[in-house]
Amino acid sequence: MSAEELTVTGQRSQAVLRSREQPARQRSGRESSRQPPRHAKPRPQRRAGGLLDPENDRRLPRPARQLTATRVAHRGPHVRLGVAWAMATFAGIVAGSSWLAIWLAPIAALAAISALRSWTTKADAGADAATTRTRGGSVVLLAGGGAAAITLSAVAGPIATAVIAILVATAFVFAVKPAPETVPSRPVLAMIVLGPAAAAGSLVLTRDQGLPQCLVLAGMVMLYDSAVYVIGTGARNRLEGPVAGLASIGALSLLVSAVLAPPFRGASPWILGLMAAVLAPTGPIVARALVGDQRARVPALRRLDSLLLLGPAWFIGASLLVHR
């Protein structure tokens, strides 16, 4: 065999060897790419009932599910307190205006006190602590007493209520000197007192007009508040609660026009229902303007916020539209 033939034969043998070694190298490369690095922690394996930790041979807790909607975290027995509030209010309405005023007067006082105390977070750091506490405490007590007095005076009629409200507002605007941290201005202080008193006192005045008028007013407020809470809690859109409340007011207006005639006649149920649909959602907006620190707890004011504007307007509208 010549030298050229030996060279050709050697080249062919090397080519055959390379062709045989190439698949083996590719397989080993794929296997090495699949294996995790030595320093990497082995991934948990899925098994029936959860994830299994391969190192400790134990099951891992299931990951928490992500909520699709932002839910509002409510603490406390809100539903039970709401039911108790509704039952006590309707019992006072049935018992009479005097019992209703006795029930609502402390609620109005607590609403004014809690709203006034929400401004204490804006205290002046340079003010004397003892003087600030004494002046602020006296103003808070006077605010609660003024709101309760206006509510109780509603038993004597609208004229007596207006006189007491004017006297209380004049005292707080001109005579009382609030502490720097209590409220930003005297007019706001007067509104903090008059707002809850107007909401509670108007319900008492409506009870003097008649039992059906007061029951319908309280029913519209209770239905609106409960629909906003039940439907609006955890809803994707913040408008779902108010829309459900407006639908509740419309359903009650239809029931009143069909059943309670008289005293509601003609278009009076729909006019008053439209008034409730406009003013009931506006009341909480006004209530937020009366609160200094929006994170403060003002549960008594929340019970009366839907009546801040609707209560006085309903009393005036019912006196003009509803026949006794």
Side-chain angles (χ1 to χ4, degrees), residues 169-192:
T170 304
F172 275 94
V173 171
F174 296 103
V176 176
K177 295 181 179 180
E181 83 285 355
T182 305
V183 289
S185 62
R186 288 186 175 90
V188 175
L189 174 58
M191 289 303 301
I192 289 175

Side-chain angles (χ1 to χ4, degrees), residues 3-320:
E4 294 180 357
E5 293 177 353
L6 289 175
T7 303
V8 173
T9 303
Q11 293 177 354
R12 290 179 179 176
S13 301
Q14 292 177 0
V16 171
L17 290 175
R18 285 196 299 267
S19 62
R20 291 179 180 178
E21 292 176 357
Q22 187 174 2
R25 291 178 181 175
Q26 293 178 351
R27 287 194 299 271
S28 62
R30 286 196 298 268
E31 292 176 358
S32 62
S33 62
R34 293 176 183 176
Q35 295 178 358
R38 294 182 180 179
H39 61 275
K41 186 177 179 179
R43 300 173 62 183
Q45 302 176 2
R46 284 194 176 274
R47 294 291 186 272
L51 296 177
L52 183 65
D53 190 351
E55 289 186 349
N56 302 324
D57 195 17
R58 62 182 179 85
R59 299 194 181 277
L60 299 176
R62 292 181 178 272
R65 296 182 178 180
Q66 297 291 334
L67 297 177
T68 56
T70 303
R71 296 187 179 274
V72 181
H74 293 283
R75 297 179 180 179
H78 291 270
V79 176
R80 284 175 289 178
L81 289 178
V83 173
W85 157 256
M87 293 177 62
T89 303
F90 280 114
I93 292 173
V94 174
S97 59
S98 299
W99 290 103
L100 182 61
I102 293 173
W103 161 245
L104 292 179
I107 305 298
L110 290 175
I113 291 173
S114 61
L116 192 55
R117 283 182 175 175
S118 66
W119 292 91
T120 56
T121 56
K122 304 180 181 298
D124 186 7
D128 181 70
T131 305
T132 294
R133 191 181 303 110
T134 302
R135 279 199 302 171
S138 61
V139 173
V140 166
L141 292 179
L142 289 176
I150 296 173
T151 304
L152 292 174
S153 65
V155 179
I159 298 178
T161 306
V163 171
I164 299 298
I166 292 173
L167 292 177
V168 171
T170 304
F172 275 94
V173 171
F174 296 103
V176 176
K177 295 181 179 180
E181 83 285 355
T182 305
V183 289
S185 62
R186 288 186 175 90
V188 175
L189 174 58
M191 289 303 301
I192 289 175
V193 178
L194 295 178
S202 61
L203 193 62
V204 177
L205 292 174
T206 305
R207 178 61 182 87
D208 286 336
Q209 291 179 339
L211 180 60
Q213 294 91 316
C214 192
L215 286 176
V216 173
L217 171 60
M220 287 190 175
V221 172
M222 300 294 180
L223 285 178
Y224 177 81
D225 290 342
S226 59
V228 169
Y229 179 81
V230 174
I231 305 299
T233 302
R236 293 176 179 270
N237 193 332
R238 65 177 59 185
L239 295 178
E240 292 184 17
V243 169
L246 297 180
S248 301
I249 291 177
L252 184 57
S253 300
L254 179 61
L255 179 64
V256 170
S257 63
V259 177
L260 295 179
F264 295 92
R265 296 177 180 176
S268 61
W270 299 107
I271 296 176
L272 294 175
L274 180 61
M275 182 189 305
V278 174
L279 297 180
T282 312
I285 300 176
V286 177
R288 284 195 293 270
L290 300 179
V291 178
D293 185 5
Q294 298 299 323
R295 298 170 298 178
R297 289 179 52 83
V298 285
L301 183 61
R302 301 303 182 197
R303 297 298 175 187
L304 299 174
D305 56 1
S306 298
L307 281 169
L308 289 178
L309 300 179
L310 177 60
W314 183 281
F315 169 72
I316 297 174
S319 62
L320 297 176

